[in-house]
Each structure stands twice: as structure tokens, then as C-alpha cells.
Amino acid sequence: MSLLAALNPPQREAAKYLDGPLLRLAGAGSGKTRVITHKIAYLIGECGYKPGSIAAITFTNKAAREMQERASKLTQNVNTKGLIVTTFHSMGLRMLREDAKFAELKPAFSILDSADAAGIVSEIIKTTDKQEIRRAVSRISLWKNELKSPAAALATAEDDNARAYAKIYDRYDATLRAYQAVDFDDLIRLPAELLDTHIELREKWQNRLRHILVDEYQDTNVAQYRLLQKLTGVRAAFTAVGDDDQAIYGWRGASADNLRQLNEDYPHLHVVKLEQNYRSTVRILKAANSLIANNPKLFEKRLWSDLGYGDAIQVMPTKDDEHEAESVVMRLLSHKFQHRTEWRDYAILYRGNYQARVFEQALRNEKVPYQLSGGQSFFDRAEIKDVISYLRLIANSDDDPAFIRAVTTPKRGIGAATLEKLGQVAATLHVSLFEAVFSAAAASQIGERQLAPLVEFCQFINRFEERVVREPAGELLNDLLKAIDYEVHLFDQDDQRAAQSKWNNVLEFAAWIAKKGEEDDKNLLQITQTIALITLLEGREEEEPDAVRLSTLHAAKGLEFGHVFLVGVEENILPHRDAVDEGRLEEERRLMYVGVTRARKSLTLSYCSRRKRARESVACDPSRFIDELGDDVRMPEKPTTAEAKASGSDRLAALKAMLG
């Protein structure tokens, strides 16, 4: 039986098409991952492609892992070793690691996380003002995503403000080069630039990769588009999968224009539309189609479904934030009681993280288990970052941010004054702090007693560096933790309970490193670079708990739930006031569309008449998007006087009695 027998006709057409560039317009819930995995299986199983000549590129580790698992199941009897299913950033890392010398990097370069990047910018502009640092970091990031060098940013700066940021970018770039480090954006920017300037590299990668599949194409930025162009070359053997109606990342540099650009750059582009939705009821899709029809269209498409007409979409007006949270939780409890569903079938989605607090409170009051998307990543905990700083330093002794953190944690009698002197020596000699420790200048300018612990520390790191390539990652890390007495350090710093919890996290991290080393056959250096990417892309994914999901609309993209509560559907929130002022209403409408199409069976929208802002209570208007959902949306009926008197808490008491 053919590998493609399980697909519908447009899906099958997209999977079989190999005559050049293909754009697969995949509406929400239309089975796009299914088509990508079947196409991979078809290329290997029926077209004789070598697995190592195929790359499937997506945006998150989770999506990559799901794709890899599904492709492996489909190609059970075929050896798929070498198949590349990865994120854009991991692909860039793979290329940079292999061709580091072209970028004047050593292969064990460091990847700085967002906290390191902010720290460097803070040093450059001599401020701790978080907002100012964030503005500079985000400006630099957008320039890098547009493939603009510091010189180009300066040359095209439109005013004094932009010129000031371009100068910060220039110093930031120089600092990263000195640290032999790259940041997250460089993992795309540098490979794209290298392929552009080095013909031998371009030919090497184009000959290696015979077909590239890109998921969530509408979320790519200029640098990612250029990288894809350089990798596919004149053959243009690629499959881009995207949906212009779900382009919601313009604010962070993604360019929905990349879909339009494809049409212009590839006149022979073949377009296949996937319009059958396998997720939602007819009613939900009808509302989604009605909403998105208010945006100008790049490609016409209408989602349809054969999953039945389904429940009416409910709109729930509420008095204020607290009443909204109570009403939503009450309705959720009542629905769960009537339909015998699980907690994980429900999601409460909102525009901004700040909206979550009052819902968390209401869920806690009713002892409802919930999971908050976008909470602190495991890798962002201080104790994990401490351990990672040692690993980064062992991998790359030029990594100054890692040096400073490791040399001062646990404390080893090295004070700020000594580090300042060492910094001056390093700056004069143009070397890293680590290298400066062994210089004649350090010996003459830093007292012998102050220098001794620094030398001892650096020798300790060197000893571990020698062992890295020979010994298993897990054993090495356990030895390191013992050698620095990290457990003792934690119990000295914190009370018993907090210290134990932190030490358990460290042990879990060590076990994870050991497992990763064995499974992926990687040494500690290679895993250290991977960690930076996991941190930046989205923490470790764990088993889905049976809990209500609280999430921003941005973080909910790609997910689906039986029953969705879309809350705070008000003017100034959704659409967001700033977006409307800046002319980004269409992107806000797409964000609402993403929210609506997360729901499989039921959708409830809520808004407040008044909302707390700072210390005031402000009047609110329902969002214009509610009217745009069409006529098939159930607006609330006016309550009778008796009903109006029964407050939310009375109804909740009645529900509890029923449950009891």
C-alpha cells in the first residue's frame, strides 16, 4: 500500500510534488505536520533520497521532535539515520560548528542567552534601566534579523536615536567577537552571510541538502528567508508550509511578506491549498472565516470541516476582571461536570501575560489544577545557570560572562576589586579574562595572594577541558559538582527546604545531561551548545499534566483544545491599543483568528464592562472582532430581575451543592 494512501487529494498532491518550489497553504487544523512527515517518508521510501539529504526545519524543539517521531513511524522498515529534523537555530548552529573558521570562530564558541546579551548591553550603555536595555536589545535583534551589519545600521539610521542604537550594536558586536560567542540571532545571520560570501560553502551545503521542508513559513524573518534561498540555490527543491492568516510575529521581525516574496522570487512556484480542517466544528470555522475575511488576502482560502455543526459560540459580558475570572471558572466547572471531560480539555487564552493572575486566583480558589504557559524555564533557574556557566567555560575559555559567574560561585576568595584589575589587564592585552590570568601583566599588577585563587581556578577548568572529549558527559558533570562542593554551597546560601529543592533541580539536570550524552552520543561540549538552544527555544517539554491550560494567544499557536475560553476580548486589549496606533490591526485580527481556531468543540468569549488599570477602574468596550465573527454567535440574553440579583457567588454555591 502506498505511503500516501492515508492523505486526502490536496495533501497527496503536496506530498508528491517534486518539480520545483512548492508552497503549501495549510489552514489551521488542516494536517500540515502530517503532509510534511508523509513527504519525508515518500522521498526516502519511494523516491530513493538519502535521509541525510533531506532537512525539515521548524520553529520549536517540540515540533521538531514530534515530526521526527512521526516520520520514523512511517519509515519503519527503512534506515533513516542522518535525516535532519531540526529548528532553524539548530540548523544554523550545525552549519556554524562545521564551518566556524569562515566566521573566525573556534568550533567551541559560546551561545549567549538573553540574560547575557542584556548584561553586555547594560555594560555598554552604563545603565540598569531594564526598559532601556530591552529597547536596545530588541533593536539589535531586529537589525540582525534583517541581515544588517553595525555599519549598515549606522549608515541607514533615520535619526539620532537610531544612530545611538547603531553605535551600541557596533560595540556589542565587537564584545561578542572578543568572547568568541554568538547570540541567538547570529545562528541564522552568520550562516546566511557565510553562504552569501563563500561560494565553496554554498556549493557544499547545496549539494548536501537535496530537499528542504520548512514549517510555519509565515513566521520566517528576512535572515531565515535568505538562508533558505542560499541553501536551495537554483534547484529550489523546497516545500514551504505556511498560512498567511496565522502570521502573528511581525513584532519580533517575522515577515508575512516572505509569502509574497516567494511568489516574486520563484515565478514557477506551485501552490497547493489545504482547506479541509480536521479539528473544529463547522460553527467555529464559519466564525473564523467570517473574521479573517476582513483582512486583505494574499491567497484566497476557506476552511471547511465535516465534524458536524457544533455548539453555538457564546459571548459572556462581565462586570470587571474578577467577575470575568469567576464566571469563566464557574462555567468551566459546570461544563466539566455535565460532560465528564478532563481538565486538559480546557484552555483559557488571553492577549497579555498580566491577564493571567486573576484567573490563577479563581482557579486556585476552586482547587482546579492549571498549567501556565511561558512560566520560568527550568534552565533559567539560578542554580542551573550556575552549573551551565562552568560547562560554558570548559567549552570556551574566552567566554567572559561564564568566567565571571563560575569564578564567583561558590565563593573562593576572589573579590570585585581583583576582578576589576583582571578586567583592566584583559582589556589592555585584548584577551579574555581567562587568558589574562596567566599573563605577565596580571602577575605584576595583581597581588600574589589575590592572583593565586584565580590561577588555581583556571588550572582546574583546564584539567576538566582535557577530560571532556574522552569521558561520558554524565560522569564528568558529577565529578565537577563534587569538586566545587556545589551542594554545600547551596545549603550555606539558603534554608534547608529551599536548598534541597535547588539541589534536586541540579541532580535532575545532571541526570538529563547523562541521558542526553548516551542517547545522542554527544560529549559535554556538544551538549553545552545544545542547552543554550533549548533554553532559548522553550525549556524542556514534559508530559502534559491533566490541568487547565492558561496561555497567551502567541504561546497557544500550534496547540488545540476541546473547549476554549478566549478572555478580555475588548478594544485596547484585543486588538491591542499600541497595535492599532501603529497600523498593525491586521496582525491583531490574525491573533484573534489563531485563538478562535484553537477550539475543537466549543468556544466562549468574555469581556468586561470595567477593568482595573493601575488604581483606577476604566470603562471597556467589547472588541470589534466579536461583530466580525458573523451572525452565528450567541450574544447573551438580558437576565430577568431575579437572575440579575443572583450574584456569581450564589450560582457557584448552587453548582458546588450539585457537585457535592
Side-chain angles (χ1 to χ4, degrees), residues 21 23 59 88 145-147 188-189 192 195 212 214 217-233 238 240 253-267 269:
L23 170 62
F59 273 82
F88 263 109
N145 290 336
E146 291 166 2
L147 292 179
I188 312 290
R189 177 182 75 117
L195 293 187
I212 296 182
V214 183
Y217 185 78
Q218 75 284 345
D219 294 337
T220 53
N221 57 37
V222 172
Q224 287 159 337
Y225 183 72
R226 287 282 167 262
L227 181 61
L228 180 67
Q229 254 190 331
K230 300 292 176 220
L231 283 172
T232 52
F238 66 81
S255 170
D257 274 351
N258 282 354
L259 283 168
R260 192 173 290 113
Q261 196 68 41
L262 263 187
N263 244 349
E264 290 169 18
D265 290 346
Y266 301 96
L269 182 72

Side-chain angles (χ1 to χ4, degrees), residues 121 124-125 132 135-144 146 148-175 177 189:
V121 168
I124 292 169
I125 58 183
E132 188 48 52
R135 270 197 290 269
V137 167
S138 111
R139 193 69 191 256
I140 291 168
S141 174
L142 289 172
W143 274 323
K144 287 191 177 195
E146 291 166 2
K148 273 193 178 165
S149 66
L154 193 55
T156 56
E158 63 279 7
D159 54 28
D160 288 350
N161 199 19
R163 269 188 289 280
Y165 282 129
K167 285 173 184 162
I168 296 166
Y169 177 19
D170 189 40
R171 289 186 55 194
Y172 173 79
D173 198 49
T175 307
R177 280 203 303 275
R189 177 182 75 117

